[in-house]
Amino acid sequence: TTITCLVVLLLLLCPAPRGPLRRLLKALFGMDPRSLALFRILLGCLTFEDAWFRILFAADFMSDEGWWPRSMVPHNNSIFMLTGSTFYLRMLLLPYCVASVLILVGYQTRIAILMSHFYVSQLVGRNTHI
């Protein structure tokens, strides 16, 4: 996941190429902005659905009362391992939900995608079985 994070950061934070390289890339990989907007909206819907269902089922899948408590997790590399309380797990999931809404509406998309990527990687670190 470290390499994935570095590639995402590189792609999101690097400036767009200029000159002949830009023309070549546009000719090879040029896309209509409307299709990119549709992809962003669908990505926002998908991440919002994921965040919403994780909030709803936090007690079952992520809390200490659920079927995969923290004592059964072999590693401790997630922010969701800090607490086993359902309330606090839901509070930790709220920024993920906000990031998905930001992706959906297109406000600060790069930052919202980075936040979403961070939360998904942390959620996978908490429970790899979902």
Side-chain angles (χ1 to χ4, degrees), residues 11-116:
L11 289 175
L12 289 176
L13 300 178
C14 288
R18 304 277 187 238
L21 179 61
R22 181 182 179 110
R23 286 192 297 273
L24 176 67
L25 289 175
K26 189 170 184 174
L28 291 175
F29 304 108
M31 291 186 156
D32 187 14
R34 295 173 291 187
S35 63
L36 291 174
L38 178 64
F39 176 75
R40 178 190 45 80
I41 290 168
L42 292 175
L43 181 67
C45 290
L46 181 69
T47 56
F48 182 77
E49 182 261 342
D50 180 47
W52 183 253
F53 281 111
R54 286 187 191 261
I55 286 173
L56 289 179
F57 297 111
D60 298 331
F61 293 114
M62 296 172 60
S63 72
D64 286 341
E65 294 85 30
W67 70 275
W68 192 253
R70 291 180 297 164
S71 60
M72 292 180 64
V73 178
H75 47 77
N76 189 5
N77 61 352
S78 174
I79 61 168
F80 295 102
M81 294 294 288
L82 295 175
T83 181
S85 167
T86 304
F87 175 76
Y88 289 114
L89 287 169
R90 287 180 175 156
M91 291 299 111
L92 283 172
L93 284 167
L94 279 180
Y96 180 40
C97 197
V98 170
S100 65
V101 170
L102 291 177
I103 293 170
L104 181 66
V105 298
Y107 182 74
Q108 298 290 327
T109 309
R110 291 181 180 185
I111 295 170
I113 288 174
L114 286 174
M115 282 178 55
S116 175

